[in-house]
Amino acid sequence: MKQDVVHIALVVRDYDEAIDFYVNKLKFELLEDTYQPEQDKRWVVVSPPGSKGVTLLLAKASKPEQMDFIGHQAGGRVFLFLNTDDFWRDYERMLAEGIHFIRPPAEQEYGIVAVFEDLYGNLWDLLQLKDDHPISSRLKALT
């Protein structure tokens, strides 16, 4: 059997401001932006550059109770983990783009990591896993 998680829904306040952040600041690729008239919403999908794995579905909050989760989807924990092939290149570029890091870079047994906030306050790890990390071999198999 083979299955894949293809999207993770990220609740956002506004499609266009979210696209601006993810595409222009994080340099993600905009894979789809399709209006769905029957539900009066957009299907907006972004992905890190060169990624063949999971994508983010930018889902605009459509009910008052969904608004409370914008920026708090993981209850204050790191929510998403962005692995890179060059930590320092991406860290410096993100700083130049004004991305706010709440924890500075640190060497860990699994690689190097720093924690940043997206435009809504969700926490992300920017990380570069060591080559011998089990996830590194899985990622290499995708390329």
Side-chain angles (χ1 to χ4, degrees):
M1 176 190 308
K2 181 177 181 334
Q3 298 178 335
D4 293 296
V5 174
V6 294
H7 303 301
I8 293 176
L10 180 64
V11 181
V12 301
R13 180 177 38 242
D14 177 81
Y15 292 118
D16 294 322
E17 72 180 6
I19 290 169
D20 181 58
F21 178 82
Y22 286 99
V23 172
N24 296 323
K25 290 191 179 280
L26 287 187
K27 304 303 181 200
F28 280 24
E29 299 173 28
L30 178 61
L31 301 178
E32 186 174 359
D33 185 354
T34 305
Y35 179 65
Q36 298 179 326
E38 64 282 354
Q39 296 178 13
D40 190 30
K41 67 179 184 179
R42 289 160 61 183
W43 185 260
V44 179
V45 179
V46 298
S47 175
S51 175
K52 304 282 188 259
V54 176
T55 63
L56 286 181
L57 172 66
L58 303 179
K60 183 178 176 184
S62 60
K63 300 176 184 174
E65 58 268 22
Q66 292 173 356
M67 296 294 289
D68 294 339
F69 291 95
I70 297 171
H72 304 287
Q73 289 198 202
R77 293 185 57 109
V78 170
F79 176 50
L80 297 164
F81 302 78
L82 181 61
N83 188 60
T84 178
D85 61 353
D86 187 332
F87 179 89
W88 292 107
R89 174 200 65 211
D90 292 344
Y91 176 75
E92 294 298 331
R93 181 190 52 74
M94 291 167 73
L95 282 176
E97 288 288 348
I99 304 294
H100 181 240
F101 281 84
I102 65 163
R103 260 184 254 145
E107 288 282 343
Q108 302 292 339
E109 66 277 0
Y110 54 83
I112 188 167
V113 63
V115 179
F116 70 94
E117 294 179 314
D118 69 13
L119 75 163
Y120 300 115
N122 291 302
L123 300 181
W124 290 64
D125 273 1
L126 173 65
L127 59 103
Q128 184 174 1
L129 295 171
K130 290 184 177 177
D131 287 339
D132 63 351
H133 190 280
I135 298 299
S136 290
S137 60
R138 289 187 61 152
L139 292 171
K140 287 177 186 164
L142 291 172
T143 58

